[in-house]
Amino acid sequence: MHVHLLTIFPEFFATPLAVGVPKRARDAGALRVSLVDLREYTTDRHRSTDDYPYGGGPGMVMKAEPIIDALEAIRVGAPRTRRVLLSPRGATLSHARAATLATEDDLALVCGRYEGVDERVRDFVDEELSIGDYVLSGGEAAALVVLDAIARLLPGVLGNVESAAAESFVAGMLEYPQYTRPEIVRGVPVPPVLLSGDHTAVARWREAQARELTRRVRPDLLEG
Ligand code: ADE
C-alpha cells in the first residue's frame, strides 16, 4: 500500500515512521509512505497555506488550492487514490474502518490545521475521518493514528497472524488479560489456569475474561 501524507509539517512523521510496526511494514515492502509538503503547492511569495476567514471570526483557515493541487499531483492514473481528510467532522475511526482502508492500494491522508480547511476541499476527498470527539491542533496526529492502525493489518507485517485476530475489537470485544514472567509480581500470582497446560481450559477462561471485561468497561461493544 502506498500512503501519501499531505501536511505542512512533514517532519512530524520522521520518528514515528522510523520505529516499530510502521518501520517493519515499510521494511517488509508492505507499506510505502510519501510525505507531501503542502507548501510546495503554494503560489505566493510567502508560501502561505492559510488565510483569514471570509466573514470574519477568529483563527485562520487552510487554503483550498494547495491541498487540491497536491491531491491532483498524486499519481494521475492507476490505481485510483482514496482521499481521506482528517477532521473532527468525519466518521469516527473504528477497527472495521481501518481494516477496510488497509485493503486500498493507494491512500492520501490530508492533514488539516488551524480553525479548519476551506469547505471547497471537501469536494475533492472521498471521505472524512475523525479519531474521536475532541479537537486536535492538526490532523497530523490523527493521520498517524490511522496509519498505525492500518500498517499493522497489512499482510506480512505482524509476525503472528493470530495476534491480530484475537485482539481487542476484532471479535466485538476487548482482548483477554495477558501475563508474562515472572509468575508472581508484588505478591500477585498469574491465574493458575494459564500454567495448567490445558489449552481448552485456557481458551475458555480467556473467552470468559474477555466477555466480563467488556461487560464491565465497554458494555456498548456487546450491544452491537
Ligand atoms: N483534526 C482536528 N481534530 C481531529 C480529530 N479529532 N480527528 C481527526 N482530525 C482532527
Side-chain angles (χ1 to χ4, degrees), residues 24-96:
R24 216 191 305 167
R26 295 168 76 203
D27 290 348
L31 175 68
R32 177 174 163 212
V33 180
S34 297
L35 292 165
V36 180
D37 187 347
L38 289 170
R39 280 192 205 287
E40 304 284 324
Y41 292 90
T42 54
T43 45
D44 63 312
R45 202 158 54 85
H46 301 291
R47 307 183 85 204
S48 33
T49 52
D50 62 327
D51 208 335
Y52 296 98
Y54 277 120
M60 302 292 273
V61 175
M62 213 145 161
K63 293 162 72 70
E65 281 173 314
I67 296 175
I68 295 169
D69 288 346
L71 281 171
E72 290 181 338
I74 293 172
R75 192 153 33 127
V76 188
R80 161 107 173 81
T81 302
R82 181 151 193 97
R83 298 162 166 186
V84 177
L85 173 65
L86 283 312
S87 132
R89 229 203 256 182
T92 310
L93 179 69
S94 63
H95 180 80

Side-chain angles (χ1 to χ4, degrees), residues 86-88 129-132 134-136 138-139 142:
L86 283 312
S87 132
L129 263 188
S130 165
I131 61 160
Y134 36 79
V135 178
L136 302 166

Side-chain angles (χ1 to χ4, degrees), residues 172-190:
M173 284 198 284
L174 299 177
E175 193 179 9
Y176 51 77
Q178 297 273 25
Y179 298 84
T180 187
R181 290 188 289 181
E183 265 184 56
I184 299 179
V185 173
R186 300 288 196 275
V188 182
V190 172

Side-chain angles (χ1 to χ4, degrees), residues 118-204:
D118 187 304
E119 190 67 22
R120 291 163 290 190
V121 165
R122 293 192 161 82
D123 294 337
F124 294 83
V125 298
D126 300 299
E127 67 178 292
E128 280 179 71
L129 263 188
S130 165
I131 61 160
D133 290 342
Y134 36 79
V135 178
L136 302 166
S137 56
E140 283 77 8
L144 200 50
V145 167
V146 173
L147 184 62
D148 189 278
I150 290 172
R152 55 196 300 290
L153 299 177
L154 297 175
V157 172
L158 286 194
N160 183 352
V161 176
E162 282 172 19
S163 95
E167 69 194 6
S168 294
F169 305 115
V170 174
M173 284 198 284
L174 299 177
E175 193 179 9
Y176 51 77
Q178 297 273 25
Y179 298 84
T180 187
R181 290 188 289 181
E183 265 184 56
I184 299 179
V185 173
R186 300 288 196 275
V188 182
V190 172
V193 65
L194 298 179
L195 308 176
S196 69
D198 181 343
H199 298 300
T200 312
V202 169
R204 224 182 295 127

